[in-house]
């Protein structure tokens, strides 16, 4: 059966559309009137946003600050397209597992950071990583498990705890860059009226309270199954790749996805780069993990009702799925733990719904029994109908939401192997993170989750 020229153009156009740029179209229906020029106008708007990141002296000794810097660059370049400029001391030694380089400045440049000395614009937003005394900037505070964002002209608060682990820094960067972008781009002007943050060790407590700060993790599972390697699955891999495994070759990750990277993935995928377009997502993620010494197993077929876990497959699955239909057929009885993140529809793209099975008490088939797929980008459908005669929709997605979701997922896994809180669910949106909802079932016990001691301490 031959596809019509119009159908081929439809699919090509759909693959090229930025998953983040669609948000602007849905936010401003007047853009539909521009026809072919709509996404050119949106791209120009994105290129008007410039982010400057300044680092204090603590960047030399803080793992969490270094993880925050690199994550902020990788997330920021996908939404602040006017450039991410960095001001940092020369020759800072990297404290992170990065195989190509051991100089933090060089790593930052390899991710796309620009030198602040070369900035030409005076119209930029500034983020300071650390406790700056300058009240005119956004400030990001991080430690092993917690992160907090202090908007301009808001008083600082002290964040106690150690900073020799990357999780809090990664989460903080995603939160800071994401919420600043939502404000700058006009999606929510109310952001910035108060400080906000979260503890991933004890999310039921204020992020800056001493009791909310957790220990340095020592154990982790030796095998994982990542199902779906879109912007969520890539974000999971980004976070896992930063963990300080003592013997990374003892870790095996099963990677399952049947899609290739397309141009439209760049703005939402942490590992998506223009030169990797048309590569299978499994191969891209495997290359990132294997470069860090982690073993991988690739499966390039879809997960369906006939797919069953084999005896030698990992007992823990992290879902990076984009359809309810696949979630419904997850066989939670075959696993020790299934962790799933679903993201908000349409303009609620910064909303996160995390569920843990069997913790939540219902199997996936029951939890999503009455859930239905809905078209979340009607303006895109109208525009595409106008341009190619066949309307389509795509989901809105952002790298910052995916990355923060990954920190929630990995934090649950870390707590399960380090006798931390056991959650059934966590529901939140980045722009209202202080109002997050989580279900606490007690603590994980050592017998059920006794992992290998893999981390360096």
């Amino acid at each position: 059966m031959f596809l019509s020229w119009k159908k081929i153009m439809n699919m090509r156009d759909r693959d090229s559309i930025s998953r983040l740029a669609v948000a602007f179209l849905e936010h401003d229906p007047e853009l539909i009137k521009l026809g072919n020029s709509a996404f050119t106008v949106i791209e120009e708007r994105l290129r008007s946003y410039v982010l400057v990141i300044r680092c204090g002296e603590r960047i030399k000794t803080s793992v969490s600050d270094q993880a925050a810097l690199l994550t902020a660059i990788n997330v920021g370049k996908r939404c602040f397209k006017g450039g991410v400029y960095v001001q940092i001391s020369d020759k800072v030694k990297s404290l992170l597992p990065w195989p190509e380089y051991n100089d933090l400045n060089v790593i930052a440049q390899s991710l796309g950071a620009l030198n602040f000395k070369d900035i030409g614009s005076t119209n930029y937003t500034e983020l300071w990583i650390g406790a700056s005394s300058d009240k005119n900037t956004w400030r990001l505070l991080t430690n092993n498990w917690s992160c907090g964002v202090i908007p301009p002209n808001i008083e600082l608060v002290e964040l106690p705890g150690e900073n020799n682990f990357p999780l809090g820094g990664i989460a903080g960067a995603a939160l800071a860059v994401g919420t600043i972008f939502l404000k700058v781009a006009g999606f929510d002007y109310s952001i910035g009226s108060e400080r906000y943050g979260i503890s991933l060790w004890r999310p039921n407590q204020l992020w800056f309270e001493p009791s909310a700060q957790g220990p340095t993790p020592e154990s982790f599972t030796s095998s994982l199954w990542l199902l779906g390697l879109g912007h969520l699955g890539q974000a999971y891999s980004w976070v896992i790749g930063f963990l300080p495994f003592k013997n990374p070759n003892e870790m095996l990750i099963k990677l399952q996805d049947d899609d290739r990277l397309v141009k439209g993935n760049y703005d939402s995928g942490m590992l998506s780069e223009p030169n990797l377009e048309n590569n299978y997502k499994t191969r891209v993620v495997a290359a990132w993990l294997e470069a860090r010494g982690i073993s991988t197993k690739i499966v390039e077929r879809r997960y369906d009702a006939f797919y069953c876990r084999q005896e030698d497959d990992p007992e823990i699955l992290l879902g990076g799925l984009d359809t309810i239909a696949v979630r419904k057929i997850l066989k939670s009885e075959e696993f020790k733990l299934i962790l799933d993140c679903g993201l908000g529809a349409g303009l609620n793209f910064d909303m996160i719904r995390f569920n843990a099975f069997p913790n939540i008490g219902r199997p996936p088939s029951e939890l999503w029994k009455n859930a239905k797929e809905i078209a979340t980008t009607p303006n895109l459908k109208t525009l595409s109908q106008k341009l190619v005669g066949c309307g389509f929709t795509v989901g809105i997605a952002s790298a910052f939401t995916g990355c923060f979701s990954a920190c929630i997922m990995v934090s649950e896994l870390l707590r399960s192997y380090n006798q931390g809180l056991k959650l059934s669910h966590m529901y939140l949106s980045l722009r209202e993170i202080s109002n997050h909802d989580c279900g606490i079932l007690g603590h994980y016990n050592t017998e059920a989750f006794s992992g290998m001691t893999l981390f360096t301490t």
Side-chain angles (χ1 to χ4, degrees), residues 314-340:
E315 293 183 293
I316 296 176
L317 183 146
L318 305 189
L321 305 168
D322 57 6
T323 65
I324 295 171
V326 180
R327 287 190 173 91
K328 288 181 180 179
I329 60 173
L330 289 173
K331 304 176 181 70
S332 57
E333 68 278 4
E334 295 181 353
F335 295 87
K336 179 187 292 186
L337 194 62
I338 290 181
L339 305 180
D340 174 80

Side-chain angles (χ1 to χ4, degrees), residues 270-281:
M270 295 292 287
L271 303 181
S272 298
E273 300 293 344
N275 65 311
L276 299 175
E277 187 177 337
N278 206 40
N279 281 269
Y280 278 106
K281 293 176 180 177

